Amino acid sequence: MKPRVYVETSVVSYLTAEPSRDIVIAGRQHSTREWWAVAPERFELVTSDLVLQEAGGGDVTAPDRVDALASLVRLDEMAAARRFTERLLRRGAVPERAATHAAHLAVAAVNGIDYLVTWNSAHIANAATRRRIEAECLRAGFDCTVVCRPDALIETPVMNGDPILGEVRTIRDKLAAECGYDVKKIVQRVRQRQAQSGLEYVSCPPRPVVVPDDTAAPPADDDQR
């Protein structure tokens, strides 16, 4: 069974927007299109009425966004998802100003979705909120959906067909998403897991630094040639 991925509105917006001159936005557009081209082979893509509602409003590209979502499975926004959204906001796991983001996360969690892809990850994928969201998911009896960017789910060609490397990359991407893609927090989390594992880790001594001798004579002409 393919992992299921909830496609949030920002992803389909970058997918269908006109090419941007802004280098950051252009990079996101390229990553989104690259992922979208291969995603149906690896994942079952799903969405919700909330995404369709958001995608259908706004500028002239709205019909393109809606068309892009047409083939995706539409999740049931059941009462449980609405209650969980309210819980995430009430208990401060997600700030009130990010109520829509909380709703997307709740729909994904209630339906047991593996990943939620979004470019709006500030309120639901950073390290500060991630722990609170995970705690609320556990208390409510849901597995916490991994929130990540589309480019975190792109396999490089060398990894295609290699289950071991694929598993390693999946673990790495999940860890990065849990830590809000903060390198310092990733290192801290890895060290915590090492300490909790009970395994013995060996640190190799650093290699000696070789400082060039500036006083040495220059090489002969024959050596230079």
Side-chain angles (χ1 to χ4, degrees), residues 33-114:
R33 289 165 184 161
E34 183 181 12
W35 175 75
W36 191 266
V38 299
E41 299 175 4
R42 296 189 54 222
F43 306 105
E44 179 184 352
L45 303 182
V46 303
T47 191
S48 67
D49 286 337
L50 177 58
V51 173
L52 288 166
Q53 180 181 349
E54 290 179 331
D59 57 34
V60 294
T61 62
D64 295 333
R65 295 195 292 266
V66 173
D67 288 344
L69 294 166
S71 62
L72 275 59
V73 175
R74 192 180 307 181
L75 298 177
D76 181 12
E77 295 182 40
M78 58 190 75
R82 292 191 291 272
R83 289 195 299 270
F84 191 46
T85 301
E86 294 171 358
R87 176 174 182 154
L88 290 171
L89 298 174
R90 185 177 65 254
R91 298 178 70 91
V94 179
E96 289 284 348
R97 64 181 178 276
T100 302
H101 297 170
H104 288 304
L105 181 61
V107 172
V110 169
N111 284 276
I113 303 304
D114 300 289

Side-chain angles (χ1 to χ4, degrees), residues 18-216:
E18 291 294 324
S20 175
R21 294 183 179 180
D22 184 290
I23 188 170
V24 174
I25 295 176
R28 291 182 175 184
Q29 290 175 327
H30 175 77
S31 296
T32 300
R33 289 165 184 161
E34 183 181 12
W35 175 75
W36 191 266
V38 299
E41 299 175 4
R42 296 189 54 222
F43 306 105
E44 179 184 352
L45 303 182
V46 303
T47 191
S48 67
D49 286 337
L50 177 58
V51 173
L52 288 166
Q53 180 181 349
E54 290 179 331
D59 57 34
V60 294
T61 62
D64 295 333
R65 295 195 292 266
V66 173
D67 288 344
L69 294 166
S71 62
L72 275 59
V73 175
R74 192 180 307 181
L75 298 177
D76 181 12
E77 295 182 40
M78 58 190 75
R82 292 191 291 272
R83 289 195 299 270
F84 191 46
T85 301
E86 294 171 358
R87 176 174 182 154
L88 290 171
L89 298 174
R90 185 177 65 254
R91 298 178 70 91
V94 179
E96 289 284 348
R97 64 181 178 276
T100 302
H101 297 170
H104 288 304
L105 181 61
V107 172
V110 169
N111 284 276
I113 303 304
D114 300 289
Y115 299 97
L116 186 160
V117 288
T118 179
W119 287 108
N120 295 325
S121 58
H123 300 297
I124 55 177
N126 68 68
T129 61
R130 185 68 190 177
R131 283 193 173 185
R132 294 196 291 268
I133 291 172
E134 287 178 348
E136 293 305 324
C137 285
L138 290 174
R139 291 190 185 104
F142 305 128
D143 289 331
C144 192
T145 301
V146 175
V147 181
C148 61
R149 307 182 312 186
D151 55 4
L153 296 180
I154 296 177
E155 282 189 345
T156 57
V158 72
M159 290 187 177
N160 290 336
D162 189 322
I164 296 178
L165 290 177
E167 182 179 359
V168 169
R169 181 172 180 135
T170 298
I171 295 172
R172 183 201 66 186
D173 292 340
K174 182 177 180 180
L175 176 63
E178 290 175 351
C179 296
Y181 301 95
D182 186 311
V183 175
K184 290 183 179 179
K185 290 184 174 65
I186 292 173
V187 172
Q188 184 180 17
R189 181 71 64 84
V190 170
R191 288 175 175 171
Q192 288 175 346
R193 290 185 177 181
Q194 288 182 351
Q196 295 169 357
S197 69
L199 300 174
E200 181 180 355
Y201 290 86
V202 178
S203 297
C204 297
R207 294 182 179 180
V209 177
V210 178
V211 180
D213 185 359
D214 294 335
T215 63

